[in-house]
């Protein structure tokens, strides 16, 4: 088991000042663990932790897209706490738009956070984990990393990429006793669907009225989502502490429902594809 039992664990958590990340940081500090928490605003993070003992907190104002800043943050964490036991790549935001409505800049911004930011963290953290032959990488994806819906193409593109990256990573580092997990929540009752965390296109196309209706429905959803961020954060801690979760750890009964539907659809499509698939083999 990678999780230390003879000392406080050290966690490196990105996207820590809101939503699931903030709840995770809160619970970790209450447990007495060491936490390095990245955010775009250290002041906002500290203000969001009233009454919480922050003596074991290292707040880090970091642009995850800047490799130099990320490397410095990881180094600062190692200097302060002696090493990193668990990395949680949690930073992210939603985006609701038709594919043709997404600008080049919006697409690149999304991948800067969801993929290149994660890659920067991994490049910085993995060498010391390999050297110690111990560590745990937890990448927070989404059920929309396994399936998708109209309007969620950009967000899902980032999460699908994260899923592929993480699956490959898990196979690469298993011989170094580094654990890897994907967390795939459904809808959580956080501010994810509020303007602070949900991007919308600069301009829209009249051809997609269903996406406009979906956008209105999602903007009205906050406060009614099924998932509890307190329980979700506790589940992530359980994944790290117990160390026996599957690579793909779904969270929420809605996530389970969507995943089952996706599996059924894929099986039907693969079955339908068999006849033509075998015709592309060399004959003889």
């Amino acid at each position: 088991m990678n999780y230390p039992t003879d000392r406080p664990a050290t966690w490196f958590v990105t996207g820590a000042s809101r939503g699931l990340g903030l709840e995770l940081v809160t619970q970790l500090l209450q447990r007495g663990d060491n936490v390095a928490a990245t955010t775009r605003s250290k002041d906002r993070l500290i203000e969001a932790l009233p009454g919480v003992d922050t003596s074991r907190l290292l707040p880090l104002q970091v642009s995850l897209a800047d490799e130099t800043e990320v490397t410095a943050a990881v180094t600062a964490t190692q200097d302060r706490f002696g090493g990193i036991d668990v990395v949680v790549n949690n930073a992210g935001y939603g985006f609701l738009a038709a594919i043709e409505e997404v600008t080049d800049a919006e697409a690149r911004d999304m991948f800067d956070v969801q993929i290149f930011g994660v890659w920067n963290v991994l490049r910085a953290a993995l060498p010391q984990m390999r050297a110690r032959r111990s560590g745990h990488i937890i990448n927070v994806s989404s059920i929309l990393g396994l399936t998708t819906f109209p309007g969620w193409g950009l967000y899902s593109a980032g999460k699908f990429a994260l899923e592929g990256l993480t699956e490959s990573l898990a196979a690469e580092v298993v011989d170094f006793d580094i654990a890897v997990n994907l967390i795939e929540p459904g809808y959580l009752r956080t501010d994810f669907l509020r303007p602070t965390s949900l991007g919308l296109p600069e301009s829209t196309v009249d051809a997609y009225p269903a996406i406009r209706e979906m956008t209105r429905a999602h903007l009205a959803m906050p406060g009614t989502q099924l998932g509890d961020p307190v329980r979700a954060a506790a589940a992530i801690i359980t994944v790290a502490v117990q160390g026996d979760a599957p690579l793909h750890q779904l969270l929420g009964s809605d996530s389970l429902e969507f995943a089952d539907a996706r599996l059924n659809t894929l099986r039907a499509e693969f079955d339908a594809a068999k006849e033509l698939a075998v015709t592309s083999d060399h004959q003889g």
Side-chain angles (χ1 to χ4, degrees):
M1 181 179 292
N2 279 312
Y3 201 81
T5 57
D6 57 346
R7 58 173 174 80
T10 296
W11 293 63
F12 186 94
V13 181
T14 70
S17 60
R18 287 195 178 100
L20 179 60
L22 177 60
E23 182 57 43
L24 178 60
V25 168
T26 300
Q27 292 188 28
L28 291 173
L29 292 174
Q30 290 171 340
R31 283 169 50 88
D33 287 335
N34 304 318
V35 183
T38 79
T39 174
R40 289 177 293 176
S41 170
K42 288 197 292 186
D43 290 341
R44 185 174 67 224
L45 173 59
I46 297 300
E47 290 170 1
L49 293 166
V52 178
D53 180 0
T54 57
S55 60
R56 292 185 178 272
L57 174 68
L58 176 61
L60 297 160
Q61 192 158 311
V62 177
S63 170
L64 294 174
D66 188 319
E67 185 172 10
T68 301
E69 289 189 15
V70 172
T71 300
V74 169
T75 299
T77 304
Q78 294 167 346
D79 291 345
R80 167 80 179 271
F81 299 121
I84 298 173
D85 298 299
V86 186
V87 168
V88 181
N89 285 303
N90 168 72
Y93 60 95
F95 201 95
L96 237 176
I99 295 297
E100 70 173 285
E101 295 171 338
V102 177
T103 66
D104 180 77
E106 289 165 342
R108 292 177 186 276
D109 286 347
M110 176 65 73
F111 273 74
D112 271 347
V113 174
Q114 296 202 150
I115 296 302
F116 302 124
V118 170
W119 231 309
N120 286 338
V121 172
L122 294 175
R123 276 192 294 263
L126 281 171
Q128 62 96 18
M129 288 186 171
R130 283 192 293 100
R132 291 190 297 116
R133 301 188 71 85
S134 177
H136 201 149
I137 305 292
I138 298 176
N139 289 340
V140 179
S141 180
S142 166
I143 187 57
L144 292 181
L146 295 174
T147 189
T148 194
F149 302 101
W152 288 100
L154 175 57
Y155 180 73
S156 284
K159 292 302 188 183
F160 269 63
L162 181 63
E163 297 265 336
L165 181 160
T166 307
E167 289 190 22
S168 184
L169 174 68
E172 291 170 1
V173 301
V174 65
D175 290 339
F176 301 105
D177 295 324
I178 298 172
V180 178
N181 290 98
L182 281 157
I183 304 297
E184 293 147 341
Y187 288 105
L188 291 175
R189 199 170 296 182
T190 67
D191 61 0
F192 180 76
L193 296 177
R194 299 186 191 278
T196 53
S197 300
L198 180 66
L200 298 173
E202 293 180 1
S203 61
T204 59
V205 177
D206 291 341
Y208 300 104
I211 293 177
R212 302 288 81 78
E213 180 55 37
M214 177 182 285
T215 300
R216 286 190 289 271
H218 278 77
L219 289 174
M221 192 181 293
T224 67
Q225 298 98 317
L226 180 64
D228 183 345
V230 176
R231 291 175 177 268
I236 291 174
I237 294 171
T238 296
V239 167
V241 172
Q242 294 187 355
D244 58 358
L247 173 58
H248 295 269
Q249 179 60 62
L250 301 164
L251 287 184
S253 55
D254 54 349
S255 182
L256 281 169
E257 182 179 345
F258 289 139
D260 283 339
R262 180 61 170 165
L263 283 173
N264 292 336
T265 298
L266 283 175
R267 174 48 57 198
E269 290 184 352
F270 293 160
D271 288 344
K274 286 180 181 178
E275 183 176 355
L276 184 59
V278 298
T279 66
S280 63
D281 293 349
H282 279 288
Q283 301 299 310

